[in-house]
Amino acid sequence: MNPYLPIKRIVLRYALPLVLLLTCVPEASAARKRPRKQAKNAPEAVAPDTVYIIKYLPIADTTSRPRRAEFGDRGYTEYSPEVRDSLLSGWHRRNIAASYDDFFARYVREDTLAHASSDATPDSVYAQRLQRLVSPVRLPYNPIVRDYIARYTDSRYGTISRILGLSQYYFPLIEEELVKAGLPVELRALPIIESALNPSAVSRMGAAGLWQFMPATGKLYGLEVNSLIDERYDPVLATRAACRYLKDMYALFGDWMLAIASYNCGPGNVNKAIARSGGKTFWEIYDYLPRETRGYVPAFIGASYAYAYHRQHGIEFTPAPLPLAVDTIHVAKLMHLEQVASTLELPIEVLRQLNPQYRLDIIPATDKRYTLVLPQQYACRYIACEEEIHRKDSLYLKEYINPVNVAQKRAVTSTYLTHTVKRGDTLGSIARKYRVSQQTIMRDNRIRNANRLSVGQKLRIRRR
């Protein structure tokens, strides 16, 4: 065995990588020094020995402002109920406003084919705008539709501006129910032409609420109507009933225009118009429909257009008179709205606006639960004060504490309501308010001279 063999192996093991490394260094150094070929008009290359100075901005002092809560923090739960309600209310309001801005920015594109004045807008522009609103509900354009578009976009009346403001409160709940029912969301425009989004609206024929249900039709579709509660005025329950009715009509006719027409005049009149005309579409049976229904479907198209393209006509929202951020409490015990209002220091007018279905301000929750809609700012406070609220029942519900009395009241639908004459009231203004004739009021109250009303006088008004 060669004695130098181990030494050779060691030399080869360590010397060879060292030689390779020394041969690569000059090449790498040369590569760094080799000038790059600059592109034409390119900025001058920076010298390799240029010193870069990185300036760091000073960290701002955050001791003066609260740290933003991170996911998993318990800080929010340590706030008072009032603060939590306020934070949640602000979040709801911001999201509602943002969703509306996003809708019109994304889906209703501004066009430059026309000025704000609808009078100068060519027919082709109206037709193109309606075509953009792609929907299972066809929205055709013709001179009749244009007339209704002009009515809804006339800024002199302010109708659509007020409706746009109310839509921020009512459309989210209406759209939610339409989506749950599998119906086109464009049907949200129906309450515009039915009630102008007024949940307390009452027609001359006795139809009531956002969707203008007649008492019999409302009961047929599951709405409770009696002397204490009229669910035709409940925006959510009435919308659910309207969804069921519209699904039935679409199943009957297979056409949304005919289903919408039947919502106004009933399926019987639509069937007769089809039989007399031999047509199969709304426009083919148009001349055979009742006069009011002939304008109903074009009004629906006009309202849909005005809602989508109000900005092209220089129309903006009128702020809604309702709190946009609300929450729902389920009530399982008999309660007067004054119990809630007085305890939470909340104006009872706000409760009445949000809960128009309770005719006498009483929630008749004796054998089933009912809902109470509150401004978001008061939801947690209600829960914290619930026992105090219920302790006030003897003060506001003396005659109703006995469940038997409540059942009797619910079973009887009163034919009349009472109006107390105030300063400035006239028989004509009272008749217009309740949508009854002056002659009917005079006959029911044995009034001989219509000009002789006294302040404080009680009048029996026949319900419509």
Side-chain angles (χ1 to χ4, degrees), residues 307-366:
Y307 173 74
Y309 294 106
H310 62 277
R311 288 177 177 169
Q312 282 85 333
H313 295 266
I315 301 171
E316 294 298 335
F317 289 83
T318 296
L322 293 160
L324 296 183
V326 297
D327 207 342
T328 302
I329 301 292
H330 290 274
V331 178
K333 189 175 180 181
L334 187 68
M335 184 185 295
H336 196 288
L337 295 184
E338 280 285 8
Q339 294 175 240
V340 181
S342 61
T343 306
L344 303 184
E345 298 181 353
L346 172 65
I348 193 169
E349 290 76 14
V350 175
L351 288 178
R352 287 169 177 162
Q353 275 187 313
L354 297 175
N355 304 274
Q357 66 270 32
Y358 300 120
R359 297 169 71 167
L360 300 179
D361 295 342
I362 295 170
I363 305 176
T366 54

Short mmCIF file of all heavy atoms in Angstrom, two decimals, residues 307-366:
data_model
loop_
_atom_site.label_atom_id
_atom_site.label_comp_id
_atom_site.label_asym_id
_atom_site.label_seq_id
_atom_site.Cartn_x
_atom_site.Cartn_y
_atom_site.Cartn_z
N TYR A 307 -86.73 53.70 -11.35
CA TYR A 307 -85.88 53.27 -10.25
C TYR A 307 -84.44 53.07 -10.72
O TYR A 307 -83.48 53.48 -10.05
CB TYR A 307 -86.42 51.97 -9.65
CG TYR A 307 -85.51 51.36 -8.60
CD1 TYR A 307 -85.40 51.92 -7.34
CD2 TYR A 307 -84.74 50.23 -8.89
CE1 TYR A 307 -84.57 51.38 -6.38
CE2 TYR A 307 -83.90 49.68 -7.94
CZ TYR A 307 -83.82 50.26 -6.69
OH TYR A 307 -82.98 49.72 -5.76
N ALA A 308 -84.28 52.44 -11.89
CA ALA A 308 -82.94 52.13 -12.38
C ALA A 308 -82.21 53.34 -12.93
O ALA A 308 -81.00 53.49 -12.74
CB ALA A 308 -83.02 51.05 -13.45
N TYR A 309 -82.94 54.24 -13.61
CA TYR A 309 -82.28 55.32 -14.35
C TYR A 309 -82.64 56.71 -13.83
O TYR A 309 -82.63 57.68 -14.58
CB TYR A 309 -82.65 55.22 -15.83
CG TYR A 309 -82.11 53.98 -16.51
CD1 TYR A 309 -82.96 52.92 -16.84
CD2 TYR A 309 -80.76 53.86 -16.80
CE1 TYR A 309 -82.47 51.79 -17.45
CE2 TYR A 309 -80.26 52.72 -17.42
CZ TYR A 309 -81.13 51.68 -17.75
OH TYR A 309 -80.65 50.55 -18.35
N HIS A 310 -82.92 56.82 -12.54
CA HIS A 310 -83.31 58.13 -12.01
C HIS A 310 -82.20 59.16 -12.14
O HIS A 310 -82.46 60.35 -12.32
CB HIS A 310 -83.72 57.99 -10.53
CG HIS A 310 -82.63 57.50 -9.65
ND1 HIS A 310 -82.32 56.16 -9.51
CD2 HIS A 310 -81.75 58.16 -8.86
CE1 HIS A 310 -81.32 56.02 -8.67
NE2 HIS A 310 -80.94 57.22 -8.26
N ARG A 311 -80.95 58.71 -12.06
CA ARG A 311 -79.85 59.68 -12.12
C ARG A 311 -79.73 60.32 -13.50
O ARG A 311 -79.30 61.47 -13.62
CB ARG A 311 -78.53 58.99 -11.75
CG ARG A 311 -78.45 58.67 -10.26
CD ARG A 311 -77.18 57.93 -9.92
NE ARG A 311 -77.08 57.70 -8.49
CZ ARG A 311 -76.19 56.90 -7.93
NH1 ARG A 311 -75.32 56.25 -8.69
NH2 ARG A 311 -76.15 56.74 -6.63
N GLN A 312 -80.10 59.58 -14.55
CA GLN A 312 -80.06 60.16 -15.89
C GLN A 312 -81.09 61.27 -16.05
O GLN A 312 -81.02 62.03 -17.01
CB GLN A 312 -80.29 59.08 -16.95
CG GLN A 312 -79.05 58.21 -17.23
CD GLN A 312 -78.90 57.07 -16.26
OE1 GLN A 312 -79.37 57.15 -15.12
NE2 GLN A 312 -78.26 56.00 -16.68
N HIS A 313 -82.03 61.34 -15.13
CA HIS A 313 -83.07 62.38 -15.18
C HIS A 313 -82.89 63.40 -14.07
O HIS A 313 -83.80 64.17 -13.77
CB HIS A 313 -84.45 61.73 -15.09
CG HIS A 313 -84.76 60.85 -16.27
ND1 HIS A 313 -85.45 61.31 -17.38
CD2 HIS A 313 -84.45 59.55 -16.54
CE1 HIS A 313 -85.57 60.32 -18.26
NE2 HIS A 313 -84.97 59.25 -17.77
N GLY A 314 -81.72 63.39 -13.45
CA GLY A 314 -81.42 64.40 -12.43
C GLY A 314 -82.19 64.22 -11.14
O GLY A 314 -82.43 65.19 -10.42
N ILE A 315 -82.59 62.99 -10.82
CA ILE A 315 -83.38 62.73 -9.62
C ILE A 315 -82.51 62.03 -8.59
O ILE A 315 -81.81 61.07 -8.90
CB ILE A 315 -84.61 61.85 -9.95
CG1 ILE A 315 -85.50 62.55 -10.99
CG2 ILE A 315 -85.41 61.53 -8.69
CD1 ILE A 315 -86.60 61.67 -11.52
N GLU A 316 -82.55 62.50 -7.36
CA GLU A 316 -81.78 61.90 -6.27
C GLU A 316 -82.73 61.46 -5.15
O GLU A 316 -83.89 61.82 -5.13
CB GLU A 316 -80.75 62.89 -5.73
CG GLU A 316 -79.65 63.24 -6.73
CD GLU A 316 -78.82 62.04 -7.16
OE1 GLU A 316 -78.74 61.06 -6.38
OE2 GLU A 316 -78.24 62.07 -8.27
N PHE A 317 -82.18 60.70 -4.22
CA PHE A 317 -82.96 60.19 -3.10
C PHE A 317 -83.41 61.31 -2.17
O PHE A 317 -82.67 62.24 -1.89
CB PHE A 317 -82.11 59.22 -2.27
CG PHE A 317 -81.82 57.91 -2.93
CD1 PHE A 317 -80.78 57.79 -3.84
CD2 PHE A 317 -82.59 56.81 -2.65
CE1 PHE A 317 -80.50 56.59 -4.44
CE2 PHE A 317 -82.31 55.59 -3.26
CZ PHE A 317 -81.27 55.49 -4.16
N THR A 318 -84.63 61.20 -1.69
CA THR A 318 -85.05 61.95 -0.52
C THR A 318 -84.79 61.06 0.69
O THR A 318 -85.20 59.90 0.68
CB THR A 318 -86.55 62.30 -0.59
OG1 THR A 318 -86.77 63.18 -1.69
CG2 THR A 318 -87.00 62.98 0.69
N PRO A 319 -84.08 61.54 1.70
CA PRO A 319 -83.77 60.67 2.84
C PRO A 319 -85.01 59.98 3.40
O PRO A 319 -86.07 60.60 3.56
CB PRO A 319 -83.15 61.63 3.86
CG PRO A 319 -82.60 62.75 3.03
CD PRO A 319 -83.54 62.90 1.87
N ALA A 320 -84.89 58.69 3.66
CA ALA A 320 -86.02 57.92 4.18
C ALA A 320 -86.39 58.38 5.58
O ALA A 320 -85.51 58.65 6.40
CB ALA A 320 -85.68 56.43 4.19
N PRO A 321 -87.69 58.49 5.88
CA PRO A 321 -88.11 58.89 7.23
C PRO A 321 -88.02 57.76 8.24
O PRO A 321 -88.38 57.93 9.40
CB PRO A 321 -89.57 59.31 7.01
CG PRO A 321 -90.03 58.46 5.87
CD PRO A 321 -88.83 58.27 4.97
N LEU A 322 -87.55 56.59 7.80
CA LEU A 322 -87.46 55.42 8.67
C LEU A 322 -86.01 55.12 9.00
O LEU A 322 -85.11 55.37 8.19
CB LEU A 322 -88.07 54.21 7.96
CG LEU A 322 -89.58 54.25 7.70
CD1 LEU A 322 -89.94 53.27 6.60
CD2 LEU A 322 -90.33 53.91 8.96
N PRO A 323 -85.74 54.56 10.17
CA PRO A 323 -84.37 54.12 10.46
C PRO A 323 -83.99 52.95 9.57
O PRO A 323 -84.71 51.95 9.50
CB PRO A 323 -84.44 53.71 11.93
CG PRO A 323 -85.88 53.42 12.19
CD PRO A 323 -86.67 54.31 11.29
N LEU A 324 -82.88 53.07 8.85
CA LEU A 324 -82.49 52.03 7.90
C LEU A 324 -81.96 50.78 8.61
O LEU A 324 -82.06 49.68 8.08
CB LEU A 324 -81.43 52.57 6.95
CG LEU A 324 -81.87 53.72 6.04
CD1 LEU A 324 -80.74 54.11 5.09
CD2 LEU A 324 -83.11 53.35 5.24
N ALA A 325 -81.39 50.97 9.79
CA ALA A 325 -80.86 49.83 10.54
C ALA A 325 -81.87 49.43 11.61
O ALA A 325 -82.12 50.17 12.55
CB ALA A 325 -79.53 50.20 11.18
N VAL A 326 -82.47 48.26 11.44
CA VAL A 326 -83.49 47.78 12.39
C VAL A 326 -83.18 46.35 12.79
O VAL A 326 -82.38 45.66 12.15
CB VAL A 326 -84.91 47.86 11.77
CG1 VAL A 326 -85.28 49.30 11.46
CG2 VAL A 326 -85.01 47.01 10.51
N ASP A 327 -83.84 45.91 13.83
CA ASP A 327 -83.72 44.52 14.28
C ASP A 327 -85.10 44.05 14.72
O ASP A 327 -85.97 44.87 15.03
CB ASP A 327 -82.72 44.40 15.42
CG ASP A 327 -82.08 43.02 15.47
OD1 ASP A 327 -82.64 42.08 14.87
OD2 ASP A 327 -81.02 42.88 16.10
N THR A 328 -85.29 42.75 14.76
CA THR A 328 -86.59 42.17 15.07
C THR A 328 -86.53 41.39 16.38
O THR A 328 -85.63 40.57 16.58
CB THR A 328 -87.05 41.23 13.94
OG1 THR A 328 -87.12 41.97 12.72
CG2 THR A 328 -88.43 40.66 14.25
N ILE A 329 -87.49 41.68 17.24
CA ILE A 329 -87.64 40.98 18.52
C ILE A 329 -88.90 40.12 18.44
O ILE A 329 -89.93 40.56 17.92
CB ILE A 329 -87.77 41.98 19.69
CG1 ILE A 329 -86.54 42.89 19.78
CG2 ILE A 329 -88.01 41.25 21.00
CD1 ILE A 329 -85.27 42.19 20.19
N HIS A 330 -88.81 38.90 18.94
CA HIS A 330 -89.99 38.03 18.99
C HIS A 330 -90.64 38.16 20.36
O HIS A 330 -90.00 37.93 21.40
CB HIS A 330 -89.61 36.58 18.70
CG HIS A 330 -89.20 36.36 17.28
ND1 HIS A 330 -90.10 36.09 16.27
CD2 HIS A 330 -87.98 36.42 16.69
CE1 HIS A 330 -89.46 35.96 15.12
NE2 HIS A 330 -88.17 36.16 15.35
N VAL A 331 -91.90 38.54 20.34
CA VAL A 331 -92.64 38.81 21.57
C VAL A 331 -93.59 37.65 21.84
O VAL A 331 -94.37 37.26 20.97
CB VAL A 331 -93.44 40.13 21.45
CG1 VAL A 331 -94.24 40.40 22.72
CG2 VAL A 331 -92.48 41.29 21.17
N ALA A 332 -93.53 37.11 23.05
CA ALA A 332 -94.36 35.96 23.41
C ALA A 332 -95.35 36.30 24.52
O ALA A 332 -95.98 35.41 25.08
CB ALA A 332 -93.48 34.80 23.84
N LYS A 333 -95.50 37.58 24.85
CA LYS A 333 -96.39 37.98 25.92
C LYS A 333 -97.14 39.24 25.50
O LYS A 333 -96.60 40.09 24.79
CB LYS A 333 -95.60 38.25 27.20
CG LYS A 333 -96.45 38.48 28.43
CD LYS A 333 -95.58 38.61 29.68
CE LYS A 333 -96.43 38.84 30.92
NZ LYS A 333 -95.60 38.99 32.14
N LEU A 334 -98.40 39.35 25.92
CA LEU A 334 -99.21 40.51 25.60
C LEU A 334 -98.49 41.79 25.96
O LEU A 334 -97.94 41.93 27.05
CB LEU A 334 -100.54 40.42 26.38
CG LEU A 334 -101.60 41.46 26.04
CD1 LEU A 334 -102.15 41.27 24.64
CD2 LEU A 334 -102.74 41.38 27.07
N MET A 335 -98.50 42.76 25.03
CA MET A 335 -97.70 43.97 25.25
C MET A 335 -98.31 45.15 24.51
O MET A 335 -98.85 45.01 23.40
CB MET A 335 -96.27 43.73 24.76
CG MET A 335 -95.31 44.88 25.01
SD MET A 335 -93.69 44.56 24.27
CE MET A 335 -93.18 43.14 25.24
N HIS A 336 -98.22 46.31 25.13
CA HIS A 336 -98.63 47.57 24.50
C HIS A 336 -97.36 48.30 24.05
O HIS A 336 -96.34 48.27 24.73
CB HIS A 336 -99.40 48.44 25.50
CG HIS A 336 -100.17 49.56 24.87
ND1 HIS A 336 -99.56 50.68 24.34
CD2 HIS A 336 -101.50 49.73 24.67
CE1 HIS A 336 -100.48 51.49 23.85
NE2 HIS A 336 -101.67 50.94 24.02
N LEU A 337 -97.42 48.93 22.89
CA LEU A 337 -96.25 49.63 22.38
C LEU A 337 -95.77 50.73 23.32
O LEU A 337 -94.57 51.06 23.36
CB LEU A 337 -96.55 50.23 20.99
CG LEU A 337 -96.83 49.24 19.86
CD1 LEU A 337 -97.00 49.97 18.54
CD2 LEU A 337 -95.73 48.19 19.73
N GLU A 338 -96.69 51.29 24.11
CA GLU A 338 -96.29 52.33 25.07
C GLU A 338 -95.37 51.77 26.14
O GLU A 338 -94.55 52.50 26.71
CB GLU A 338 -97.52 52.97 25.71
CG GLU A 338 -98.21 54.02 24.84
CD GLU A 338 -97.45 55.35 24.81
OE1 GLU A 338 -96.32 55.40 25.32
OE2 GLU A 338 -97.98 56.31 24.25
N GLN A 339 -95.52 50.48 26.47
CA GLN A 339 -94.61 49.87 27.44
C GLN A 339 -93.16 49.96 26.94
O GLN A 339 -92.25 50.25 27.70
CB GLN A 339 -94.98 48.40 27.66
CG GLN A 339 -96.31 48.18 28.33
CD GLN A 339 -96.68 46.72 28.41
OE1 GLN A 339 -97.71 46.29 27.89
NE2 GLN A 339 -95.85 45.92 29.06
N VAL A 340 -93.00 49.71 25.67
CA VAL A 340 -91.66 49.75 25.07
C VAL A 340 -91.19 51.20 24.94
O VAL A 340 -90.06 51.53 25.30
CB VAL A 340 -91.67 49.06 23.69
CG1 VAL A 340 -90.28 49.08 23.07
CG2 VAL A 340 -92.19 47.64 23.80
N ALA A 341 -92.07 52.05 24.41
CA ALA A 341 -91.69 53.44 24.16
C ALA A 341 -91.29 54.16 25.44
O ALA A 341 -90.27 54.87 25.48
CB ALA A 341 -92.84 54.17 23.47
N SER A 342 -92.06 53.97 26.51
CA SER A 342 -91.79 54.69 27.75
C SER A 342 -90.53 54.17 28.44
O SER A 342 -89.79 54.93 29.05
CB SER A 342 -92.99 54.59 28.69
OG SER A 342 -93.24 53.23 29.03
N THR A 343 -90.28 52.88 28.34
CA THR A 343 -89.11 52.30 29.00
C THR A 343 -87.81 52.65 28.28
O THR A 343 -86.81 52.98 28.90
CB THR A 343 -89.25 50.77 29.10
OG1 THR A 343 -90.49 50.45 29.73
CG2 THR A 343 -88.09 50.17 29.90
N LEU A 344 -87.85 52.57 26.95
CA LEU A 344 -86.64 52.82 26.15
C LEU A 344 -86.49 54.28 25.76
O LEU A 344 -85.50 54.64 25.11
CB LEU A 344 -86.65 51.96 24.89
CG LEU A 344 -86.77 50.45 25.08
CD1 LEU A 344 -86.66 49.74 23.74
CD2 LEU A 344 -85.70 49.93 26.03
N GLU A 345 -87.47 55.11 26.16
CA GLU A 345 -87.47 56.52 25.78
C GLU A 345 -87.38 56.67 24.26
O GLU A 345 -86.59 57.45 23.72
CB GLU A 345 -86.32 57.27 26.46
CG GLU A 345 -86.43 57.26 27.99
CD GLU A 345 -85.29 58.02 28.64
OE1 GLU A 345 -84.37 58.45 27.93
OE2 GLU A 345 -85.35 58.20 29.88
N LEU A 346 -88.22 55.90 23.60
CA LEU A 346 -88.29 55.87 22.14
C LEU A 346 -89.65 56.43 21.72
O LEU A 346 -90.67 56.00 22.24
CB LEU A 346 -88.13 54.43 21.65
CG LEU A 346 -88.36 54.14 20.17
CD1 LEU A 346 -87.31 54.84 19.32
CD2 LEU A 346 -88.33 52.63 19.93
N PRO A 347 -89.72 57.40 20.80
CA PRO A 347 -91.02 57.94 20.38
C PRO A 347 -91.93 56.83 19.84
O PRO A 347 -91.51 56.02 19.02
CB PRO A 347 -90.65 58.93 19.27
CG PRO A 347 -89.25 59.31 19.56
CD PRO A 347 -88.60 58.09 20.13
N ILE A 348 -93.15 56.81 20.32
CA ILE A 348 -94.06 55.75 19.90
C ILE A 348 -94.39 55.85 18.42
O ILE A 348 -94.73 54.87 17.78
CB ILE A 348 -95.36 55.76 20.76
CG1 ILE A 348 -96.14 54.46 20.52
CG2 ILE A 348 -96.20 57.01 20.44
CD1 ILE A 348 -97.27 54.23 21.47
N GLU A 349 -94.27 57.06 17.83
CA GLU A 349 -94.51 57.22 16.40
C GLU A 349 -93.53 56.37 15.59
O GLU A 349 -93.89 55.84 14.53
CB GLU A 349 -94.40 58.69 15.98
CG GLU A 349 -95.51 59.59 16.49
CD GLU A 349 -95.37 59.95 17.95
OE1 GLU A 349 -94.26 59.72 18.51
OE2 GLU A 349 -96.33 60.45 18.55
N VAL A 350 -92.30 56.24 16.09
CA VAL A 350 -91.31 55.41 15.39
C VAL A 350 -91.73 53.94 15.44
O VAL A 350 -91.65 53.22 14.44
CB VAL A 350 -89.92 55.59 16.02
CG1 VAL A 350 -88.90 54.65 15.37
CG2 VAL A 350 -89.46 57.03 15.87
N LEU A 351 -92.20 53.49 16.60
CA LEU A 351 -92.67 52.11 16.73
C LEU A 351 -93.88 51.86 15.82
O LEU A 351 -94.00 50.79 15.22
CB LEU A 351 -93.05 51.81 18.17
CG LEU A 351 -91.89 51.67 19.17
CD1 LEU A 351 -92.44 51.43 20.56
CD2 LEU A 351 -90.95 50.54 18.76
N ARG A 352 -94.76 52.83 15.72
CA ARG A 352 -95.92 52.67 14.86
C ARG A 352 -95.52 52.60 13.39
O ARG A 352 -96.11 51.85 12.60
CB ARG A 352 -96.90 53.82 15.08
CG ARG A 352 -97.65 53.74 16.40
CD ARG A 352 -98.40 55.01 16.70
NE ARG A 352 -99.17 54.91 17.94
CZ ARG A 352 -99.63 55.96 18.61
NH1 ARG A 352 -99.37 57.20 18.16
NH2 ARG A 352 -100.32 55.79 19.72
N GLN A 353 -94.54 53.40 13.01
CA GLN A 353 -94.05 53.36 11.63
C GLN A 353 -93.46 52.00 11.28
O GLN A 353 -93.69 51.48 10.19
CB GLN A 353 -92.98 54.43 11.41
CG GLN A 353 -93.53 55.81 11.05
CD GLN A 353 -92.39 56.74 10.68
OE1 GLN A 353 -91.38 56.83 11.37
NE2 GLN A 353 -92.55 57.43 9.57
N LEU A 354 -92.70 51.44 12.21
CA LEU A 354 -92.03 50.17 11.96
C LEU A 354 -92.94 48.97 12.17
O LEU A 354 -92.63 47.86 11.69
CB LEU A 354 -90.81 50.03 12.88
CG LEU A 354 -89.70 51.06 12.67
CD1 LEU A 354 -88.61 50.89 13.72
CD2 LEU A 354 -89.11 50.95 11.27
N ASN A 355 -94.06 49.16 12.87
CA ASN A 355 -94.98 48.05 13.17
C ASN A 355 -96.42 48.48 12.88
O ASN A 355 -97.26 48.51 13.79
CB ASN A 355 -94.83 47.63 14.64
CG ASN A 355 -93.41 47.25 15.00
OD1 ASN A 355 -93.00 46.11 14.82
ND2 ASN A 355 -92.65 48.22 15.51
N PRO A 356 -96.73 48.79 11.62
CA PRO A 356 -98.07 49.33 11.31
C PRO A 356 -99.19 48.30 11.41
O PRO A 356 -100.36 48.66 11.32
CB PRO A 356 -97.90 49.83 9.86
CG PRO A 356 -96.83 48.95 9.29
CD PRO A 356 -95.88 48.70 10.42
N GLN A 357 -98.86 47.03 11.61
CA GLN A 357 -99.88 45.99 11.65
C GLN A 357 -100.68 45.97 12.94
O GLN A 357 -101.76 45.38 12.99
CB GLN A 357 -99.25 44.61 11.40
CG GLN A 357 -98.30 44.13 12.48
CD GLN A 357 -96.87 44.56 12.24
OE1 GLN A 357 -96.61 45.62 11.69
NE2 GLN A 357 -95.93 43.72 12.66
N TYR A 358 -100.16 46.62 14.00
CA TYR A 358 -100.86 46.60 15.30
C TYR A 358 -101.81 47.80 15.37
O TYR A 358 -101.41 48.92 15.63
CB TYR A 358 -99.83 46.61 16.43
CG TYR A 358 -98.91 45.41 16.37
CD1 TYR A 358 -97.53 45.57 16.24
CD2 TYR A 358 -99.43 44.12 16.41
CE1 TYR A 358 -96.69 44.47 16.16
CE2 TYR A 358 -98.59 43.01 16.32
CZ TYR A 358 -97.23 43.19 16.19
OH TYR A 358 -96.40 42.10 16.10
N ARG A 359 -103.08 47.52 15.14
CA ARG A 359 -104.07 48.58 14.92
C ARG A 359 -104.33 49.42 16.17
O ARG A 359 -104.62 50.61 16.06
CB ARG A 359 -105.38 47.95 14.43
CG ARG A 359 -105.22 47.24 13.11
CD ARG A 359 -106.42 46.41 12.73
NE ARG A 359 -107.56 47.23 12.37
CZ ARG A 359 -108.65 46.76 11.78
NH1 ARG A 359 -108.74 45.47 11.49
NH2 ARG A 359 -109.64 47.56 11.49
N LEU A 360 -104.25 48.81 17.34
CA LEU A 360 -104.51 49.53 18.59
C LEU A 360 -103.25 49.64 19.45
O LEU A 360 -103.34 49.81 20.66
CB LEU A 360 -105.62 48.82 19.38
CG LEU A 360 -106.97 48.69 18.67
CD1 LEU A 360 -107.95 47.94 19.56
CD2 LEU A 360 -107.52 50.06 18.32
N ASP A 361 -102.09 49.53 18.84
CA ASP A 361 -100.80 49.59 19.53
C ASP A 361 -100.59 48.42 20.47
O ASP A 361 -99.76 48.48 21.37
CB ASP A 361 -100.63 50.90 20.31
CG ASP A 361 -100.58 52.12 19.41
OD1 ASP A 361 -100.33 51.95 18.20
OD2 ASP A 361 -100.81 53.23 19.91
N ILE A 362 -101.34 47.34 20.28
CA ILE A 362 -101.26 46.18 21.16
C ILE A 362 -100.74 44.98 20.38
O ILE A 362 -101.25 44.67 19.29
CB ILE A 362 -102.63 45.84 21.77
CG1 ILE A 362 -103.08 46.98 22.69
CG2 ILE A 362 -102.58 44.52 22.54
CD1 ILE A 362 -104.50 46.85 23.15
N ILE A 363 -99.73 44.32 20.95
CA ILE A 363 -99.22 43.07 20.37
C ILE A 363 -99.95 41.93 21.08
O ILE A 363 -99.69 41.64 22.25
CB ILE A 363 -97.70 42.94 20.57
CG1 ILE A 363 -96.99 44.15 19.99
CG2 ILE A 363 -97.18 41.67 19.92
CD1 ILE A 363 -95.49 44.16 20.23
N PRO A 364 -100.90 41.27 20.40
CA PRO A 364 -101.76 40.28 21.08
C PRO A 364 -101.11 38.90 21.23
O PRO A 364 -101.67 37.88 20.83
CB PRO A 364 -102.98 40.22 20.16
CG PRO A 364 -102.42 40.49 18.81
CD PRO A 364 -101.28 41.45 18.99
N ALA A 365 -99.92 38.87 21.82
CA ALA A 365 -99.16 37.62 21.92
C ALA A 365 -99.62 36.82 23.14
O ALA A 365 -98.96 36.82 24.18
CB ALA A 365 -97.67 37.92 22.00
N THR A 366 -100.76 36.16 23.01
CA THR A 366 -101.27 35.32 24.11
C THR A 366 -101.09 33.84 23.81
O THR A 366 -100.76 33.06 24.70
CB THR A 366 -102.76 35.62 24.36
OG1 THR A 366 -103.48 35.48 23.13
CG2 THR A 366 -102.93 37.03 24.91
#
